Amino acid sequence: MKMRNLVLGVATALAVAAVVGVKSDLLPENWNPWSSQGAAGQAPRAQAERAVQVDVAAAVKKRVPVSVDLLGSVTPIASVSIKPRVDTEIRAVHFQDGTMVRQGDILFTLDSSALEAQLRQAEGNLAKDKAQLEGAERDVNRYTGLVAKGATPIINLEASQTQVGVYQGAIVADQAAIENLKVQIGYCTIRAAISGRVSMAALKVGNFIRQADLTPIATIMQTAPVYVTFALPQRSLPELRAALANESANIEAIVPGDPRKAGGQVTMIENTVDQTTGTVPVRATMPNTDEILWPGTLVTVRLNFREEDAVTVPSIAVQVGQSGPYVFVIKDGVATVRPVKVARAINAESILESGLDGGETVVTEGQLLLNDGSKVSTRPAKVGS
């Protein structure tokens, strides 16, 4: 009977080992599958003792800007819509669409043949009136001598003097007509009023243009410098005014899809707050020498009021729980939960208002496997990080 019970016990142990998935020769000598200290009881204890591998970074205390991010738009300081001032035909276009032009460059040449013919006619009328004036002046001189001798009535002298005045007035009118025609002929050569980037020409050579046309034949926009206009919440207005008084305010304009940033200075605050939105329009002037900003573009405006000392951590280190944001701080290989208060975020960094003093080591990856007091080991830094 004892032999039978021994055989049954060994068979039972082998069956349990097969179910658990371990080989019988790997079982510990004192292993008992029915004991509360068996596989099910030993797994949590082994897992608790195992160190969790995590990525870490240092909390750094440094000078950081006090700023706010807003939505703005790029507007040109100057723009000119080119429209004809005479009704005529386009003879030549002297620019390529979208190129830079300088003030005074010729853009269009218009047909001026009709105006030039009218100019020659006016010059002929002027010559005729000058000749008639000379004749009237000779009559005045002749009648003046005859009246002194009593050889002719004074009415003849007065009539001659009247003719002199008529021809003098005609000459003035002829000269004004000539000047007006010269001005209109000058309109047939259209020059750039400002320096900037010209649009595509709406009409090309051979098209007839009129003064009454509403659509401009081209547009010039100044691209350097430019304005960036944005709406500032009224709660930030006192801080901006203080920054302007201290000459510490500046802005950065960030164009979506462009890694570069354009810098500038706040140059205007509107004199009233929009009560419907609770914001005040603010305008900054941007040098834009490399044309990062394009007129009409929507940009992210980072308005920097000043700089101050603060503790920063990577934003991925900050976790959010039921009690608010927190980070895992590692000391002596143990992760400890540390509540923090985030003031704001800039790029991939979170600026802390409280919670850390700087110099602490915080977990940046692997927080899901951690509890307060978990043992940790740091992973090697990734290449390129």
Side-chain angles (χ1 to χ4, degrees):
M1 179 64 68
K2 294 182 179 180
M3 181 61 69
R4 180 182 178 183
N5 292 338
L6 180 60
V7 172
L8 288 176
V10 173
T12 302
L14 293 175
V16 172
V19 172
V20 176
V22 291
K23 296 181 179 180
S24 59
D25 55 349
L26 297 180
L27 295 175
E29 294 180 357
N30 59 350
W31 181 81
N32 185 358
W34 311 115
S35 172
S36 60
Q37 303 300 323
Q42 291 181 0
R45 184 175 61 185
Q47 184 176 0
E49 294 176 353
R50 182 172 57 88
V52 180
Q53 288 193 339
V54 294
D55 293 340
V56 297
V60 181
K61 187 172 184 179
K62 60 182 180 180
R63 298 286 292 180
V64 294
V66 178
S67 61
V68 61
D69 288 352
L70 304 164
L71 183 64
S73 61
V74 181
T75 56
I77 291 179
S79 63
V80 175
S81 297
I82 300 173
K83 294 184 177 181
R85 303 180 72 175
V86 293
D87 297 346
T88 186
E89 180 183 332
I90 298 177
R91 282 289 182 87
V93 179
H94 300 279
F95 65 90
Q96 293 182 351
D97 294 343
T99 58
M100 292 293 298
V101 296
R102 295 185 177 275
Q103 183 177 6
D105 290 350
I106 298 177
L107 303 179
F108 294 93
T109 298
L110 309 181
D111 183 13
S112 61
S113 55
L115 294 173
E116 290 173 352
Q118 295 177 28
L119 176 61
R120 289 193 295 270
Q121 182 182 6
E123 289 174 344
N125 292 334
L126 176 61
K128 180 186 68 175
D129 292 337
K130 284 183 176 181
Q132 291 176 336
L133 175 61
E134 292 175 357
E137 289 175 343
R138 287 194 297 269
D139 289 343
V140 169
N141 294 331
R142 183 170 60 252
Y143 284 126
T144 299
L146 292 176
V147 168
K149 295 177 182 180
T152 186
I154 193 172
I155 191 172
N156 291 332
L157 175 61
E158 292 174 346
S160 298
Q161 291 174 338
T162 300
Q163 287 297 318
V164 169
V166 169
Y167 293 135
Q168 286 177 340
I171 289 174
V172 172
D174 293 338
Q175 291 174 338
I178 290 173
E179 291 177 2
N180 179 53
L181 288 170
K182 288 181 178 179
V183 170
Q184 294 190 56
I185 291 174
Y187 293 157
C188 293
T189 302
I190 300 178
R191 298 178 180 272
I194 61 172
S195 297
R197 191 170 293 277
V198 67
S199 68
M200 65 179 67
L203 297 174
K204 302 294 185 178
V205 176
N207 286 276
F208 192 84
I209 55 178
R210 299 176 178 85
Q211 299 180 62
D213 293 341
L214 299 178
T215 304
I217 56 178
T219 303
I220 304 175
M221 287 195 177
Q222 181 179 333
T223 57
V226 294
Y227 289 142
V228 170
T229 306
F230 55 93
L232 180 71
Q234 63 180 10
R235 65 177 180 273
S236 300
L237 181 58
E239 199 165 13
L240 174 59
R241 296 184 62 187
L244 290 176
N246 297 328
E247 298 182 351
S248 60
N250 62 82
I251 76 163
E252 292 178 333
I254 305 170
V255 181
D258 194 333
R260 299 174 297 172
K261 298 178 182 179
Q265 299 293 328
V266 175
T267 52
M268 190 277 296
I269 302 176
E270 189 55 270
N271 57 6
T272 182
V273 175
D274 187 347
Q275 296 183 354
T276 59
T277 61
T279 60
V280 56
V282 179
R283 189 171 66 193
T285 302
M286 321 293 287
N288 200 36
T289 53
D290 46 5
E291 289 189 331
I292 296 177
L293 305 177
W294 208 252
T297 303
L298 293 177
V299 297
T300 299
V301 176
R302 179 161 295 157
L303 175 57
N304 300 314
F305 299 111
R306 63 184 185 279
E307 289 188 348
E308 63 181 11
D309 292 327
V311 178
T312 65
V313 296
S315 296
I316 57 175
V318 180
Q319 305 294 303
V320 179
Q322 294 180 351
S323 301
Y326 65 91
V327 296
F328 281 103
V329 176
I330 297 178
K331 186 176 181 180
D332 298 329
V334 177
T336 305
V337 173
R338 184 78 61 85
V340 296
K341 187 174 182 180
V342 180
R344 58 192 178 277
I346 299 178
N347 297 329
E349 285 188 332
S350 292
I351 300 173
L352 304 183
E353 185 175 329
S354 62
L356 299 179
D357 298 324
E360 296 91 344
T361 300
V362 296
V363 178
T364 58
E365 187 174 345
Q367 295 96 325
L368 295 178
L369 301 176
L370 297 179
N371 293 315
D372 192 12
S374 297
K375 292 184 178 181
V376 296
S377 63
T378 58
R379 285 192 287 252
K382 298 179 180 178
V383 178
S385 61

